Amino acid sequence: MQTDSRIYVAGHNGLVGSTICRRLSSEGYQNLIVRDHSQLDLCNEIAVNDFFAETKPEYVFLAAAVVGGIHANDTRPVEFLRDNLLIQTNIIEAAYQTGVKKLAFLGSTCIYPRDCPQPIKEEYLLTGPLEETNQWYAIAKIAGIKLCQAYRKQHGFNAISMMPTNLYGPGDNFDLQSSHVLPALIRKFHEGKVNHSKQVEVWGSGKPFREFLYVEDMAEACCYLMENYNDESIINIGTGQDVSIKALAELIKDIIGYEGNIVFDSSKPDGTPKKVTDVTKIKASGWQSTTSLQAGLEKTYAWYLKNAPKALA
Ligand code: GDP
């Protein structure tokens, strides 16, 4: 990419897309192309084709998707499957048709089989059944990977697929019904502290393990791979380290300074028991994460304190 390349970031209002945009701007890229949902409905094939024909992007970061935590996934399966299939199909086809030089598709580690060996290597894709709570999202993302590979195979289109682990950071979704665990716990412990609550509820047993990647590290990795990775096979973006939900809750409780108790709500699902990526491949390609969980949490909580009224409005 040159600093004057036309770069379309699909999903620029989301956690991932907004961070990629900030990173590109800070690196001097001046020709970022973005569209709000009100300006462009990515589920509408004709609108997407017109947009690409008109703006002629050279590089595309495909970070637009219907996303959400365990509850949202489980209760809004149509959007997670149908809308994501449409969004990625429309963008990949239009990008190919209009001569985009390279497209980077963002997936997720929920594409991997529920009970696959840990840490998760890229080759475990499609070797076993998926976790049920997020199968809708996973199937859509697997179709996106295959679509990238199909366009490469049939048309020589340079489309790569990157699989970031659970992300968090400034700009995250703090809505308790649709968010992922980390922002939900920041909000719950913060409100618990402010309201002097005796206890804060954490969903499930606290026993599952998750890996968390600070979103600015992820944006750095995405830009790095856009410049340096040109393979049809998928590549994990993670830290290679995981933590139990219980330990995460205790860490967030300490950072926020909440003094009450943690209680586990076993009526809520645990989801996958353990999910941590093998990052050998991305490390070998020359990138590794640098932000510790503690440091990332402190930055995210500082952002929340500054932005919570607006973020929650
Ligand atoms: P997942 O990684 O796809 O399972 O998505 P989540 O980030 O939503 O959930 C991860 C784990 O955190 C699951 O075991 C949840 O039950 C647990 N968890 C604990 N408290 C919460 C909460 O307040 N919100 C969410 N979304 N998950 C929670």
Side-chain angles (χ1 to χ4, degrees):
M1 289 186 295
Q2 309 296 318
T3 49
D4 62 351
S5 300
R6 290 184 306 281
I7 306 169
Y8 171 43
V9 181
H12 74 288
N13 281 322
L15 176 65
V16 172
S18 61
T19 316
I20 291 175
C21 282
R22 273 203 310 279
R23 171 145 202 114
L24 289 169
S25 298
S26 75
E27 285 185 351
Y29 294 98
Q30 305 140 14
N31 260 331
L32 300 191
I33 304 166
V34 296
R35 289 290 183 277
D36 287 335
H37 189 71
S38 62
Q39 299 169 300
L40 175 62
D41 175 5
L42 294 171
C43 290
N44 180 332
E45 185 183 358
I46 295 169
V48 173
N49 288 344
D50 289 349
F51 162 72
F52 270 82
E54 187 189 308
T55 56
K56 293 235 168 351
E58 294 167 274
Y59 296 89
V60 175
F61 287 90
L62 207 178
V66 177
V67 295
I70 196 161
H71 179 73
N73 244 283
D74 212 19
T75 51
R76 291 168 28 219
V78 174
E79 289 149 64
F80 279 84
L81 182 54
R82 176 187 178 274
D83 291 8
N84 283 326
L85 284 172
L86 287 173
I87 291 167
Q88 66 205 25
T89 306
N90 291 341
I91 292 179
I92 294 168
E93 165 69 9
Y96 162 64
Q97 288 294 348
T98 54
V100 164
K101 291 181 183 155
K102 184 165 178 182
L103 177 145
F105 173 66
L106 276 111
S108 148
T109 51
C110 73
I111 57 157
Y112 292 114
R114 178 179 199 273
D115 296 316
C116 68
Q118 306 286 327
I120 308 172
K121 293 186 195 297
E122 287 85 354
E123 61 257 35
Y124 298 161
L125 180 64
L126 292 172
T127 55
L130 299 167
E131 156 62 27
E132 283 210 356
T133 49
N134 55 27
Q135 58 179 316
W136 322 101
Y137 185 71
I139 293 277
K141 289 292 177 185
I142 293 170
I145 294 166
K146 290 291 162 194
L147 212 51
C148 288
Q149 293 173 344
Y151 276 82
R152 179 183 291 276
K153 184 175 159 83
Q154 191 172 335
H155 299 301
F157 181 43
N158 193 2
I160 60 167
S161 295
M162 327 189 267
M163 300 303 124
T165 191
N166 295 25
L167 302 168
Y168 71 98
D172 213 335
N173 168 18
F174 290 86
D175 173 84
L176 294 181
Q177 286 309 305
S178 60
S179 69
H180 282 280
V181 58
L182 193 150
L185 293 186
I186 289 182
R187 179 170 176 180
K188 285 183 184 177
F189 284 113
H190 174 74
E191 290 181 351
K193 177 181 165 183
V194 171
N195 300 327
H196 305 287
S197 317
K198 287 216 167 64
Q199 60 185 51
V200 160
E201 251 178 33
V202 174
W203 293 356
S205 65
K207 289 181 185 147
F209 279 76
R210 293 289 183 276
E211 175 189 17
F212 297 97
L213 177 67
Y214 189 57
V215 71
E216 287 178 9
D217 285 9
M218 186 260 355
E220 182 185 77
C222 289
C223 295
Y224 180 82
L225 294 174
M226 182 64 114
E227 297 282 22
N228 296 291
Y229 187 77
N230 292 298
D231 204 86
E232 67 151 3
S233 59
I234 61 177
I235 184 162
N236 289 337
I237 308 178
T239 64
Q241 285 162 1
D242 60 356
V243 60
S244 72
I245 298 299
K246 181 167 185 279
L248 175 75
E250 282 162 357
L251 186 57
I252 295 177
K253 179 183 167 199
D254 282 355
I255 288 171
I256 292 180
Y258 170 70
E259 286 176 352
N261 298 316
I262 297 174
V263 291
F264 292 98
D265 176 2
S266 56
S267 71
K268 295 284 196 305
D270 268 348
T272 300
K274 187 170 166 82
K275 203 163 60 168
V276 60
T277 55
D278 185 312
V279 289
T280 309
K281 189 168 171 178
I282 193 164
K283 272 191 177 167
S285 92
W287 181 88
Q288 70 181 69
S289 70
T290 49
T291 309
S292 69
L293 183 57
Q294 172 91 26
L297 281 172
E298 285 169 3
K299 287 189 200 178
T300 307
Y301 184 48
W303 183 90
Y304 176 84
L305 284 177
K306 236 168 125 188
N307 295 276
K310 202 172 65 198
L312 301 177

